[in-house]
Amino acid sequence: GNSVTQMEGPVTLSEEAFLTINCTYTATGYPSLFWYVQYPGEGLQLLLKATKADDKGSNKGFEATYRKETTSFHLEKGSVQVSDSAVYFCALSDRSGNTPLVFGKGTRLSVIA
Amino acid sequence: DTAVSQTPKYLVTQMGNDKSIKCEQNLGHDTMYWYKQDSKKFLKIMFSYNNKELIINETVPNRFSPKSPDKAHLNLHINSLELGDSAVYFCASARRGETDTQYFGPGTRLTVL
């Protein structure tokens, strides 16, 4: 079955540090890949997505590139801010009909000033 | 102008009670979902409805019964609540044909005592 594995947290960084959160997936076919973010006390928000190999999703300074050869979709940001503190979820959808998203276990990021 | 709303936001109840969580979306979407997020932040699909019809029912106890009175609403009724039902429940919706991009509600934190 489809699955998503992301790095264990928590991740603690100083402001302006470089962020990488690793995500790899297992899926049949060619899934769409997503990063969702959950700020404290809130629901999930779509951060970025990529729908085919070599696509780069980007939003709010975050980027992730769909790498079919390594089945990865790592999230990166060049300079994190305190306001980026949240839980980040990698997810996939196999795009067949009404399939739901399959989520990784989430990575908590804390950015300190 | 909230896109996906859930009520209540917090629900504290005794073991054995029956409770409902309501979800409404004003996006005109055809597909709605319920996800459960456990204490370790792991998110898992419970149900998916497309245009008021049940599409996906993961291995969820039959104490959980979704009800969709119209395509803008998907309510979750839980009978005989157990301690292990304590979690955050998220409703989500998506447009037909674009079910890989889902919009989440703010979540309902259920605590069973």
Side-chain angles (χ1 to χ4, degrees):
Chain A
N2 297 338
S3 66
V4 174
T5 303
Q6 56 182 111
M7 62 188 284
E8 295 280 333
V11 174
T12 302
L13 295 174
S14 297
E15 216 167 15
E16 299 183 5
F18 184 85
L19 169 71
T20 300
I21 301 178
N22 290 339
C23 171
T24 57
Y25 67 89
T26 302
T28 53
Y30 302 96
S32 294
L33 301 173
F34 306 83
W35 278 100
Y36 278 81
V37 58
Q38 185 179 25
Y39 297 104
E42 297 184 14
L44 279 77
Q45 302 174 26
L46 178 63
L47 181 60
L48 54 84
K49 71 175 186 179
T51 57
K52 60 182 188 297
D54 300 325
D55 267 3
K56 179 186 282 189
S58 61
N59 186 23
K60 299 181 181 179
F62 290 89
E63 293 183 340
T65 301
Y66 189 144
R67 301 283 188 205
K68 182 168 172 286
E69 64 276 13
T70 54
T71 61
S72 65
F73 193 55
H74 305 321
L75 182 68
E76 296 182 336
K77 186 174 185 182
S79 176
V80 293
Q81 306 300 313
V82 172
S83 57
D84 294 326
S85 299
V87 181
Y88 292 82
F89 292 89
C90 187
L92 71 79
S93 168
D94 68 8
R95 296 187 281 180
S96 59
N98 298 308
T99 52
L101 292 166
V102 175
F103 286 91
K105 292 191 175 181
T107 302
R108 182 181 296 279
L109 170 67
S110 295
V111 180
I112 53 178
Chain B
D1 59 346
T2 305
V4 182
S5 59
Q6 296 178 225
T7 53
K9 190 167 183 180
Y10 300 96
L11 183 53
V12 181
T13 188
Q14 299 287 332
M15 235 175 11
N17 284 351
D18 303 338
K19 291 293 178 186
S20 293
I21 306 172
K22 295 185 178 180
C23 176
E24 176 181 4
Q25 53 92 5
N26 62 5
L27 298 167
H29 290 166
D30 295 298
T31 306
M32 297 184 72
Y33 307 85
W34 276 108
Y35 289 86
K36 180 180 180 182
Q37 186 178 43
D38 63 24
S39 58
K40 296 183 180 177
K41 297 289 188 181
F42 188 47
L43 265 165
K44 193 168 181 185
I45 184 69
M46 299 175 69
F47 300 103
S48 167
Y49 265 72
N50 186 30
N51 209 16
K52 296 173 33 179
E53 291 187 24
L54 180 65
I55 303 297
I56 293 169
N57 178 356
E58 293 295 313
T59 51
V60 176
N62 58 13
R63 298 182 295 105
F64 290 78
S65 53
K67 287 182 172 49
S68 182
D70 55 62
K71 71 176 190 178
H73 295 83
L74 181 61
N75 303 324
L76 183 64
H77 188 74
I78 316 170
N79 288 329
S80 303
L81 278 155
E82 300 178 356
L83 293 176
D85 298 332
S86 296
V88 181
Y89 293 85
F90 287 100
C91 178
S93 73
R95 194 185 309 275
R96 186 201 301 266
E98 297 178 17
T99 52
D100 59 350
T101 302
Q102 297 179 17
Y103 296 81
F104 283 78
T108 297
R109 181 176 293 278
L110 171 65
T111 302
V112 182
L113 304 175

